[in-house]
Amino acid sequence: MKILDVFIIGGGPIGLACGIECEKSNLNYVIVEKGVLTNSLYNYPLNMTFFSTSEKLEMGGVPFMSVAHKPTRTEALEYYRRVAAKWKLKVNLYEKVEAMKKVKDIFEIKTSKATYLASNIILATGFYDLPNLMNVPGEDLPKVSHYYKEPWPYIGQKIIVVGGGNSAVDVALETWRKGAEVTMVLKGDGVDPNVKYWVKPDIENRIKEGSIKAFTNSLVKEIKAHEVIIQTPDGVATVENDFVLAMTGYVPNFALLDQLGIALTLDEKHQPCYDQTNQESNIPGVYLAGVVCGGLNTREFFIENSIVHAEHIVGHILEKLKNID
């Protein structure tokens, strides 16, 4: 079986950036994505607007043109499709990595469709696939979702939105404007201070005027068929409810890291151990790119500041190949 120079896990923007660097350097590689191209972006809300401006998301010399200053989900999906096509990137879609092991200096990777051998692995898996669960009774009820697409299913419904970050705020405002009765459950005193600056006054004013109800310094205690039990500073509150949208964030795929023996920090971040100069983990030949580098701290890395990881990684791989020669 032919041994690849690089096996890239994840067909999101950072995985594509790694593929571009491999193309530039004539490395033998493949990108494997378990879903659609840029699967994480595909799962974003339909009307989402990026925090970054389009030029900061560009890669591979392909201009990113958007109608507004900040691109939408649809514009990003089209842009990265054009990037993959322009560079003729070797991307295998709907192929899930199932098992990995290292035999001497070579990695054996088994996917849902094939078995590969590779000298190096790049983990660019993002974090949008695995929700950060609340771990409360009733979280598995059909009315509970950790993902949100659009507001139409919630017209005239009693909605509880859990969380105070960008996603939660967008969901609360969008569903309220389409006629939902919205209640937010916020862990702190209010919404996250880092919420998009053009949205933050809107949500705070809606809460202040009472259009959107908010329980601050509160946690969901239990979810029932027609109500939600909330622990508040004033005691337990029972709220009538039709749907719960838990925008509580997401976590990296720690199972993949564990298969390869990648060490994690012992603090609350559970950050993978890697060399920040070249992105190589504690396992030689395994590199980390993108938001996976942050562990549970998913706000430290994003597309804009992670594109450079691809150049650092491939540069280090080329140096190793040069020393072998």
Side-chain angles (χ1 to χ4, degrees), residues 145-254:
S145 177
H146 289 270
Y147 295 91
Y148 170 82
K149 277 292 185 185
E150 54 186 348
W152 309 112
Y154 308 109
I155 296 171
Q157 303 299 294
K158 293 179 173 64
I159 306 300
I160 283 185
V161 178
V162 185
N166 280 308
S167 296
V169 167
D170 286 345
V171 169
L173 288 171
E174 202 169 86
T175 54
W176 171 72
R177 287 200 161 93
K178 294 298 184 260
E181 182 181 319
V182 179
T183 300
M184 298 186 75
V185 179
L186 304 169
K187 187 183 292 186
D189 294 329
V191 299
D192 193 306
N194 296 314
V195 164
K196 291 175 285 193
Y197 65 85
W198 63 92
V199 175
K200 192 167 182 283
D202 190 2
I203 187 64
E204 289 178 336
N205 287 333
R206 301 295 75 75
I207 292 173
K208 185 177 180 180
E209 70 187 17
S211 297
I212 293 176
K213 186 174 182 179
F215 287 97
T216 57
N217 300 301
S218 301
L219 296 170
V220 170
K221 187 176 181 181
E222 184 179 357
I223 302 169
K224 297 183 177 181
H226 303 293
E227 57 191 20
V228 173
I229 313 300
I230 302 170
Q231 183 66 55
T232 79
D234 299 322
V236 173
T238 300
V239 179
E240 287 187 27
N241 172 256
D242 298 308
F243 293 97
V244 175
L245 296 172
M247 302 292 104
T248 49
Y250 306 91
V251 296
N253 191 332
F254 286 118

Side-chain angles (χ1 to χ4, degrees), residues 24-323:
K24 288 180 181 178
S25 304
N26 294 315
L27 293 177
N28 188 14
Y29 75 97
V30 68
I31 302 170
V32 168
E33 167 58 59
K34 72 176 183 179
V36 307
L37 188 69
T38 59
N39 194 63
S40 291
L41 302 190
Y42 174 75
N43 285 313
Y44 282 175
L46 298 184
N47 298 321
M48 194 210 76
T49 299
F50 279 77
F51 194 90
S52 300
T53 55
S54 55
E55 68 269 14
K56 292 183 178 180
L57 301 175
E58 289 180 356
M59 61 177 63
V62 180
F64 190 166
M65 306 300 293
S66 59
V67 174
H69 192 48
K70 298 175 186 294
T72 64
R73 164 189 173 273
T74 299
E75 289 172 329
L77 289 172
E78 172 59 18
Y79 173 71
Y80 293 114
R81 182 197 68 80
R82 290 193 293 108
V83 168
K86 192 265 183 187
W87 282 93
K88 297 181 174 60
L89 297 178
K90 302 176 182 69
V91 186
N92 294 352
L93 302 175
Y94 301 102
E95 185 170 355
K96 184 179 180 180
V97 172
E98 296 179 338
M100 296 180 288
K101 64 179 180 180
K102 190 173 186 180
V103 181
K104 295 184 179 179
D105 293 328
I106 301 299
F107 296 95
E108 181 182 273
I109 306 106
K110 293 184 178 180
T111 73
S112 55
K113 295 182 178 180
T115 298
Y116 301 84
L117 298 178
S119 300
N120 300 280
I121 291 176
I122 300 176
L123 286 169
T125 50
F127 70 101
Y128 204 67
D129 296 321
L130 301 173
N132 185 25
L133 299 177
M134 296 179 289
N135 294 313
V136 298
E139 190 169 9
D140 57 347
L141 288 173
K143 73 173 190 175
V144 181
S145 177
H146 289 270
Y147 295 91
Y148 170 82
K149 277 292 185 185
E150 54 186 348
W152 309 112
Y154 308 109
I155 296 171
Q157 303 299 294
K158 293 179 173 64
I159 306 300
I160 283 185
V161 178
V162 185
N166 280 308
S167 296
V169 167
D170 286 345
V171 169
L173 288 171
E174 202 169 86
T175 54
W176 171 72
R177 287 200 161 93
K178 294 298 184 260
E181 182 181 319
V182 179
T183 300
M184 298 186 75
V185 179
L186 304 169
K187 187 183 292 186
D189 294 329
V191 299
D192 193 306
N194 296 314
V195 164
K196 291 175 285 193
Y197 65 85
W198 63 92
V199 175
K200 192 167 182 283
D202 190 2
I203 187 64
E204 289 178 336
N205 287 333
R206 301 295 75 75
I207 292 173
K208 185 177 180 180
E209 70 187 17
S211 297
I212 293 176
K213 186 174 182 179
F215 287 97
T216 57
N217 300 301
S218 301
L219 296 170
V220 170
K221 187 176 181 181
E222 184 179 357
I223 302 169
K224 297 183 177 181
H226 303 293
E227 57 191 20
V228 173
I229 313 300
I230 302 170
Q231 183 66 55
T232 79
D234 299 322
V236 173
T238 300
V239 179
E240 287 187 27
N241 172 256
D242 298 308
F243 293 97
V244 175
L245 296 172
M247 302 292 104
T248 49
Y250 306 91
V251 296
N253 191 332
F254 286 118
L256 287 181
L257 300 174
D258 187 56
Q259 278 190 37
L260 293 166
I262 296 174
L264 305 176
T265 59
L266 300 178
D267 59 14
E268 68 281 358
K269 292 183 180 180
H270 295 293
Q271 191 170 7
C273 297
Y274 69 98
D275 187 332
Q276 295 185 19
T277 64
N278 55 39
Q279 304 299 125
E280 189 173 33
S281 72
N282 61 292
I283 303 300
V286 178
Y287 296 85
L288 307 176
V291 73
V292 70
C293 298
L296 292 178
N297 183 19
T298 54
R299 296 182 181 181
E300 185 174 347
F301 298 97
F302 36 92
I303 299 172
E304 180 182 322
N305 69 359
S306 297
I307 294 173
V308 68
H309 291 174
E311 188 177 334
H312 294 165
I313 292 170
V314 174
H316 190 250
I317 290 172
L318 291 174
E319 282 295 320
K320 291 196 301 184
L321 291 174
K322 189 187 300 181
N323 293 333

Side-chain angles (χ1 to χ4, degrees), residues 10-26:
I14 305 306
L16 299 184
C18 292
I20 290 171
E21 293 302 318
C22 288
E23 283 284 348
K24 288 180 181 178
S25 304
N26 294 315

